[in-house]
Amino acid sequence: MKLEIKQNILLEHLNYVIRGISNKNIIPVLNCIKFELDETGLYLMSTDNEIAIKTFIDKDDIENIDKCGTIVVSGRFIYDIVKKLPNEIITIEEVVDNKIFITTTNSSFNLNCNNPEEFPVLDLGNHKSPICIPKRVFKNIIKQVAFATSTQESRPVLTGLNFKIEGTRLECTGTDSYRLAKTSIEIETSVEETINIIIPTKNLNELIKMFSDEDGNIELHIFNNKVIFKFNTIIMLSRLINGTYPDTSKLIPTEFMLAMKVDMNHFYNSIDRASLLTNEADKNTIKLESNNNSIVVSSNIPEIGYVEEKLSVQKNNQEEIKIAFSSKYMIDALRALESQEVELLFNGEVKPIIIRNPENENLIQLILPIRTY
Amino acid sequence: MKLEIKQNILLEHLNYVIRGISNKNIIPVLNCIKFELDETGLYLMSTDNEIAIKTFIDKDDIENIDKCGTIVVSGRFIYDIVKKLPNEIITIEEVVDNKIFITTTNSSFNLNCNNPEEFPVLDLGNHKSPICIPKRVFKNIIKQVAFATSTQESRPVLTGLNFKIEGTRLECTGTDSYRLAKTSIEIETSVEETINIIIPTKNLNELIKMFSDEDGNIELHIFNNKVIFKFNTIIMLSRLINGTYPDTSKLIPTEFMLAMKVDMNHFYNSIDRASLLTNEADKNTIKLESNNNSIVVSSNIPEIGYVEEKLSVQKNNQEEIKIAFSSKYMIDALRALESQEVELLFNGEVKPIIIRNPENENLIQLILPIRTY
């Protein structure tokens, strides 16, 4: 293999595939990036057996393709080297079997490579009917629901996001069993059979970090045990989580004892300040109590002190509420709404609280109350 | 005690005194900030027994002084609360003994306080002849030499910076025994007796972070076992490190076998790239070898590969050098120079390397070579 390529172009694509490498992997080849050069251009690929990332640099973006071939080189080293090289033309050449030279005018690196035959062979082929979603919309979905998933491996299904597609309706849900976030969108082409899969949240978070812009679509190719995402020149494969996702549809009430609207900034800042006098051992509990057209948010740590925050609200009826919840969960939910006003929906002090943007009823944030009264 | 004060003014001064609190302290009062209000204004003070910080808010910057008095309140809590309050007028009032209310229009915090009598009494009085240095110059000194001190407590004197003042000459030295940084300046007023003290580096780093601007002077009031810094409205006390600082004057040669000048950017980037193929277990060793008007910087990790970087240099004679050193120490030294060109001075492969800005001979960076040839 031998090619000449501009440093900035190679670095841009290494930035994608470096995300497919886990530094903890004890199998050396899984810490590597595979360079595959043919007449059409250069393919870069990485995989840690959980995900795989592949990207393509067209021949038009390569200065010179001297000799096609394949090498497999330590991802961390090639990435750091290219990152620190000046923005000149870099020559990469296989000098003898599994040894490469990386050279610019003044620098010359000689790296030992791995045997390309040891690199995993993965099927990244297309599904016959992929699902197409604007990247901007897809990124929003992940940002609105991913934070609510669990990070504890004790219940693997809760460490993923549930994607459920029926007809043209896509529903995406995340929950850690104490709170839940759910959003839904309409997709362009109807699916024939209902799709119900769980994608690891951490892979989705890596995926949206690779969006350099938000124009265009992302394709989801969904198979039995994997999903393949395609956008721009990038392909990412993620395994799916096995298991049945809890049926959350019955959890979300449709009728409420009391609804109130409150200014987002005021409410967020009040919760944020009240959270100063809470602690994790006590589940960051804060209390909310309504009284006519105002609410008081309060919390305390007995040895330190207490805080009360007063806000005005608009209620839909004369009912009053006294309820306690985790300030951390409330803050996470409010951040995901990104609205100017927030709607809080109650069915009593032991029933879930629903938090919504009044202008977007497709996105639902739910948190369970904490019993203290 | 009762006063009304704008949030931004109080926060600015809390930002100073919060640095005097160590979160690890098991003595509760040392995690506190003391508020002392009299007719002239508000004094804030903190101490963790290693340092003490005191600042003053003039009565003209306070909306209302209703009742003078003293309170001692948890530093972390009061700081976080004031930081999160809106930029309105805050009322702080002692309601009963050792209990305060902190209120704005919508927020009301009630905090338990400590007994003011338990707060340490420290003498922050002036020395009869303080040393006066422009803040800008003082900050530069610390940035140029502080990094070279040791962080290991096994030799306490090396965890501090040595300040030696004779007549009008101030010399500041830091060393961890493998490398050394030394700078000297002329001060305005001559000292009568030679001063030779060691100030803990971490306290000096905290001190320069409190410089909100670089105008004006800082005063050093040096006593037997402490130094008191005064600038703007701020007073900081630091204990001194007991012990005798090593005599480093004989370490720095005045004659050299070979001097070479090299472009800073090229040299820095070459060392930086070569450092990629070094590891800590091997002291980050890289080699430098001259040949006429060029040098080659090289390093290797046997199982990974090797790197060679070529640069042109200007030499003062025909001597050649072959030497090895820590890339990490070289990078630290180069960063502290902040020059466009760098001068490297050699006396052979087992003698210290001197690194200088050719335009500022007052600042000397020294690193010991590593024997490999």
Side-chain angles (χ1 to χ4, degrees):
Chain A
M1 192 190 85
K2 185 176 179 187
L3 82 160
E4 288 172 8
I5 186 166
K6 282 210 181 109
Q7 182 263 357
N8 61 331
I9 291 174
L10 182 56
L11 181 59
E12 181 199 329
H13 287 266
L14 285 173
N15 264 320
Y16 299 132
V17 284
I18 195 70
R19 297 184 182 279
I21 287 170
S22 146
N23 286 321
K24 292 177 208 151
N25 226 305
I26 52 162
I27 306 168
V29 79
L30 298 187
N31 296 319
C32 287
I33 292 171
K34 182 175 167 187
F35 284 60
E36 205 173 344
L37 183 68
D38 65 24
E39 290 93 17
T40 63
L42 176 66
Y43 294 88
L44 301 179
M45 185 171 164
S46 63
T47 178
D48 67 353
N49 272 343
E50 288 282 306
I51 60 171
I53 299 172
K54 189 172 185 177
T55 177
F56 176 64
I57 307 173
D58 191 89
K59 65 179 190 310
D60 294 342
D61 289 329
I62 299 174
E63 302 297 308
N64 235 320
I65 298 180
D66 283 327
K67 195 180 168 203
C68 298
T70 303
I71 56 155
V72 169
V73 61
S74 158
R76 183 46 58 191
F77 281 100
I78 188 92
Y79 176 76
D80 285 344
I81 289 168
V82 172
K83 197 170 158 190
K84 293 201 171 185
L85 282 172
N87 189 7
E88 293 177 10
I89 289 169
I90 301 176
T91 305
I92 302 180
E93 182 180 6
E94 190 175 13
V95 275
V96 292
D97 271 3
N98 301 334
K99 247 187 212 309
I100 55 166
F101 264 129
I102 303 161
T103 45
T104 60
T105 319
N106 296 314
S107 305
S108 157
F109 283 86
N110 183 315
L111 289 186
N112 301 327
C113 297
N114 285 59
N115 184 348
E117 284 171 17
E118 285 172 16
F119 199 84
V121 178
L122 292 165
D123 181 2
L124 301 175
N126 289 349
H127 191 273
K128 64 182 195 307
S129 44
I131 290 149
C132 229
I133 304 173
K135 274 196 291 188
R136 192 184 307 273
V137 172
F138 187 80
K139 191 173 178 178
N140 260 340
I141 293 176
I142 307 304
K143 287 190 149 186
Q144 287 165 346
V145 298
F147 71 90
T149 56
S150 172
T151 50
Q152 295 180 337
E153 296 292 337
S154 54
R155 284 186 69 187
V157 296
L158 299 189
T159 64
L161 280 182
N162 178 221
F163 281 74
K164 204 169 158 187
I165 313 175
E166 285 180 292
T168 59
R169 186 169 184 79
L170 181 154
E171 242 181 37
C172 184
T173 310
T175 180
D176 63 4
S177 81
Y178 302 104
R179 41 119 171 241
L180 175 148
K182 183 177 210 158
T183 189
S184 55
I185 58 160
E186 292 295 317
I187 56 173
E188 285 206 352
T189 323
S190 176
V191 297
E192 283 172 26
E193 275 179 57
T194 298
I195 291 169
N196 194 341
I197 56 171
I198 311 167
I199 306 174
T201 303
K202 66 173 195 290
N203 298 352
L204 291 164
N205 282 330
E206 285 300 316
L207 172 65
I208 60 171
K209 282 186 206 152
M210 289 194 284
F211 289 5
S212 54
D213 60 68
E214 295 184 356
D215 299 331
N217 289 328
I218 181 167
E219 287 178 9
L220 280 65
H221 299 256
I222 298 168
F223 298 92
N224 264 342
N225 57 353
K226 68 184 178 191
V227 53
I228 296 171
F229 301 96
K230 302 196 174 188
F231 62 99
N232 304 4
T233 62
I234 299 164
I235 301 173
M236 173 173 159
L237 174 149
S238 167
R239 68 169 181 89
L240 300 179
I241 297 174
N242 288 325
T244 308
Y245 201 77
D247 180 11
T248 59
S249 58
K250 286 163 211 148
L251 256 176
I252 302 163
T254 47
E255 291 187 358
F256 300 96
M257 179 199 92
L258 171 67
M260 55 174 76
K261 283 183 190 173
V262 54
D263 177 81
M264 171 65 94
N265 267 342
H266 286 166
F267 188 59
Y268 181 92
N269 290 335
S270 293
I271 301 284
D272 193 28
R273 281 193 291 269
S275 73
L276 291 173
L277 295 186
T278 67
N279 52 41
E280 264 197 68
D282 193 28
K283 295 177 193 162
N284 301 109
T285 304
I286 60 175
K287 293 178 184 178
L288 182 153
E289 194 172 340
S290 70
N291 183 8
N292 289 323
N293 284 325
S294 71
I295 55 171
V296 171
V297 172
S298 64
S299 65
N300 76 93
I301 305 177
E303 61 273 31
I304 307 292
Y306 69 83
V307 48
E308 279 186 8
E309 294 276 339
K310 212 171 176 179
L311 292 103
S312 58
V313 294
Q314 279 178 276
K315 296 199 301 189
N316 70 335
N317 61 37
Q318 303 298 316
E319 295 283 346
E320 303 291 0
I321 185 83
K322 248 179 153 182
I323 199 163
F325 51 83
S326 153
S327 61
K328 188 187 168 307
Y329 287 175
M330 181 59 84
I331 281 176
D332 286 346
L334 294 175
R335 277 192 187 142
L337 286 192
E338 290 190 338
S339 60
Q340 300 210 311
E341 216 180 19
V342 49
E343 190 172 27
L344 302 168
L345 303 162
F346 302 96
N347 272 322
E349 64 184 77
V350 296
K351 294 288 168 59
I353 306 165
I354 301 289
I355 304 125
R356 278 198 314 210
N357 169 0
E359 285 167 16
N360 175 12
E361 298 196 351
N362 287 325
L363 173 60
I364 287 166
Q365 304 286 349
L366 176 152
I367 60 181
L368 294 184
I370 298 168
R371 295 190 197 209
T372 61
Y373 289 100
Chain B
M1 193 189 86
K2 186 176 179 188
L3 82 161
E4 287 173 10
I5 186 167
K6 281 208 182 115
Q7 183 263 355
N8 60 333
I9 292 173
L10 182 57
L11 182 59
E12 182 200 328
H13 287 266
L14 285 173
N15 264 319
Y16 300 131
V17 286
I18 196 72
R19 297 184 183 279
I21 288 171
S22 146
N23 285 321
K24 292 175 207 152
N25 226 305
I26 53 163
I27 306 168
V29 79
L30 297 187
N31 295 320
C32 286
I33 293 171
K34 183 175 165 186
F35 284 60
E36 207 172 343
L37 183 68
D38 65 23
E39 288 93 19
T40 64
L42 176 65
Y43 294 89
L44 301 180
M45 185 170 165
S46 63
T47 179
D48 67 353
N49 271 344
E50 290 281 306
I51 60 171
I53 299 172
K54 189 172 183 176
T55 179
F56 176 64
I57 306 172
D58 192 89
K59 65 178 189 312
D60 293 343
D61 289 329
I62 299 174
E63 301 298 307
N64 235 320
I65 298 180
D66 282 327
K67 196 181 167 201
C68 297
T70 303
I71 56 155
V72 169
V73 61
S74 158
R76 183 47 56 194
F77 281 101
I78 188 93
Y79 175 76
D80 285 343
I81 289 168
V82 172
K83 197 170 156 191
K84 293 200 171 186
L85 282 172
N87 189 7
E88 291 178 11
I89 290 168
I90 301 176
T91 305
I92 301 180
E93 182 180 7
E94 192 175 11
V95 274
V96 292
D97 271 4
N98 302 334
K99 246 186 212 307
I100 55 165
F101 263 128
I102 304 161
T103 45
T104 60
T105 318
N106 295 316
S107 304
S108 158
F109 283 86
N110 183 314
L111 289 187
N112 301 327
C113 296
N114 285 61
N115 184 348
E117 285 170 16
E118 286 172 15
F119 200 83
V121 179
L122 292 164
D123 180 3
L124 299 176
N126 287 349
H127 190 273
K128 64 183 194 308
S129 44
I131 290 150
C132 228
I133 304 173
K135 273 196 291 187
R136 191 184 308 274
V137 173
F138 187 81
K139 190 173 177 177
N140 260 340
I141 294 177
I142 306 304
K143 285 190 151 186
Q144 287 165 346
V145 299
F147 70 90
T149 56
S150 172
T151 50
Q152 294 181 338
E153 296 292 336
S154 53
R155 285 187 68 189
V157 296
L158 300 189
T159 64
L161 280 182
N162 178 220
F163 281 74
K164 206 170 157 186
I165 314 176
E166 285 180 292
T168 59
R169 187 172 183 78
L170 182 154
E171 244 182 37
C172 185
T173 310
T175 179
D176 63 4
S177 81
Y178 301 104
R179 41 117 172 242
L180 175 148
K182 183 178 210 155
T183 190
S184 55
I185 58 160
E186 292 295 318
I187 56 172
E188 285 205 353
T189 322
S190 176
V191 296
E192 285 170 23
E193 278 179 54
T194 298
I195 292 169
N196 194 342
I197 55 169
I198 312 168
I199 307 175
T201 303
K202 66 173 195 292
N203 298 353
L204 291 164
N205 282 330
E206 285 300 316
L207 172 64
I208 60 171
K209 280 186 209 153
M210 288 193 285
F211 289 6
S212 54
D213 59 69
E214 295 184 354
D215 300 331
N217 290 326
I218 179 166
E219 288 177 9
L220 280 66
H221 298 256
I222 298 168
F223 298 91
N224 265 341
N225 58 353
K226 67 183 178 191
V227 52
I228 296 170
F229 301 96
K230 300 196 175 187
F231 62 99
N232 304 4
T233 62
I234 299 163
I235 301 173
M236 174 171 156
L237 173 150
S238 167
R239 67 170 183 90
L240 300 179
I241 297 174
N242 289 324
T244 308
Y245 201 76
D247 179 11
T248 58
S249 58
K250 287 163 210 150
L251 254 177
I252 302 164
T254 48
E255 290 186 359
F256 300 95
M257 180 200 92
L258 171 67
M260 57 173 76
K261 283 184 189 172
V262 55
D263 177 80
M264 171 64 95
N265 267 342
H266 286 167
F267 188 57
Y268 181 92
N269 290 334
S270 293
I271 301 284
D272 193 29
R273 282 192 292 268
S275 74
L276 290 173
L277 294 186
T278 67
N279 51 42
E280 264 197 69
D282 194 26
K283 296 177 192 160
N284 300 110
T285 305
I286 60 174
K287 294 177 183 179
L288 181 152
E289 195 172 340
S290 70
N291 183 9
N292 290 321
N293 285 324
S294 71
I295 55 170
V296 170
V297 172
S298 64
S299 65
N300 76 92
I301 303 177
E303 60 274 30
I304 307 293
Y306 68 84
V307 49
E308 279 184 9
E309 294 276 339
K310 213 173 178 176
L311 292 103
S312 58
V313 294
Q314 279 176 278
K315 294 200 302 188
N316 70 334
N317 61 38
Q318 302 298 314
E319 296 282 349
E320 302 291 0
I321 184 82
K322 246 180 153 180
I323 198 163
F325 51 84
S326 154
S327 60
K328 189 187 167 306
Y329 287 176
M330 181 59 86
I331 281 175
D332 286 346
L334 294 174
R335 276 190 188 146
L337 286 192
E338 290 191 339
S339 60
Q340 300 210 312
E341 215 180 19
V342 50
E343 191 172 25
L344 302 169
L345 303 161
F346 303 96
N347 273 320
E349 66 184 75
V350 296
K351 294 287 167 60
I353 307 164
I354 302 290
I355 305 124
R356 278 201 312 214
N357 170 0
E359 287 167 15
N360 175 12
E361 298 195 352
N362 288 324
L363 174 60
I364 287 166
Q365 303 287 349
L366 177 153
I367 61 180
L368 294 183
I370 298 168
R371 295 188 197 209
T372 62
Y373 289 102

